[in-house]
């Protein structure tokens, strides 16, 4: 059962408000930047890991234990971010887990309608 005209208007208003308020977040919801975002996060984590190594070494050379500890914690945190970000990133040409084959560029409205329809189908309505 498709959305009523009133529901469609409401969703369109919500979509316009979302784009007006936070266009970066709205485009992230479209899914076209997911892979880029997760890969960028991994690269940032690797850079942070290198900074942690530098802090660790600087603390050892200057004989400041707290600097070495901070460097180690930075390394540990960045390693966790890199591993979790790498696992979540879809491979080239691959859909993220749970994603269905859909047209590549669609509006938030289309995605909301598809989710609504899928939920109704799963409930047997």
């Amino acid at each position: 059962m498709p959305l009523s005209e009133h529901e469609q208007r409401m969703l369109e208003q919500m979509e316009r408000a979302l784009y007006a308020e936070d266009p970066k977040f709205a485009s992230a919801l479209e899914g076209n930047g997911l892979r880029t975002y997760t890969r960028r996060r991994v690269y940032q984590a690797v850079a942070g890991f290198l900074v942690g190594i530098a802090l660790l070494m600087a603390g050892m050379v200057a004989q400041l234990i707290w600097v070495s500890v901070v460097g180690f914690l930075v390394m540990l945190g960045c390693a966790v971010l890199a591993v979790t970000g790498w696992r979540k990133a879809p491979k080239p040409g691959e859909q993220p887990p749970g994603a269905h084959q859909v047209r590549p560029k669609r509006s938030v409205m289309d995605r909301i309608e598809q989710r609504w329809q899928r939920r109704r189908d799963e409930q047997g309505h």
Side-chain angles (χ1 to χ4, degrees):
M1 179 172 140
L3 297 175
S4 71
E5 288 183 31
H6 175 69
E7 291 170 329
Q8 287 179 342
R9 281 193 304 265
M10 294 290 291
L11 286 173
E12 287 172 0
Q13 288 175 353
M14 291 168 43
E15 181 182 8
R16 283 193 299 271
L18 178 63
Y19 274 104
E21 185 178 319
D22 194 354
K24 186 176 180 181
F25 178 68
S27 60
L29 284 178
E30 290 179 354
N32 57 3
L34 176 64
R35 183 172 176 267
T36 304
Y37 170 76
T38 52
R39 297 291 181 196
R40 186 178 337 147
R41 181 175 152 195
V42 169
Y43 296 142
Q44 290 171 347
V46 168
F49 187 84
L50 295 175
V51 168
I53 290 174
L55 283 172
L56 180 71
M57 299 303 278
M60 291 173 56
V61 169
Q63 295 182 350
L64 297 171
I65 300 296
W66 67 272
V67 174
S68 296
V69 170
V70 169
F72 176 76
L73 292 176
V74 168
M75 289 170 50
L76 183 63
C78 289
V80 168
L81 283 176
V83 169
T84 58
W86 195 267
R87 286 184 182 165
K88 290 180 184 176
K91 304 289 185 258
E94 177 180 85
Q95 292 283 332
H100 299 282
Q101 293 291 337
V102 293
R103 61 183 186 232
K105 292 206 176 195
R106 58 185 178 160
S107 70
V108 174
M109 178 75 163
D110 291 337
R111 289 190 9 251
I112 291 171
E113 286 179 14
Q114 184 181 22
R115 287 181 187 164
W116 178 261
Q117 186 63 38
R118 188 171 51 235
R119 286 184 187 143
R120 294 196 47 86
D121 291 343
E122 288 172 356
Q123 293 175 355
H125 291 102

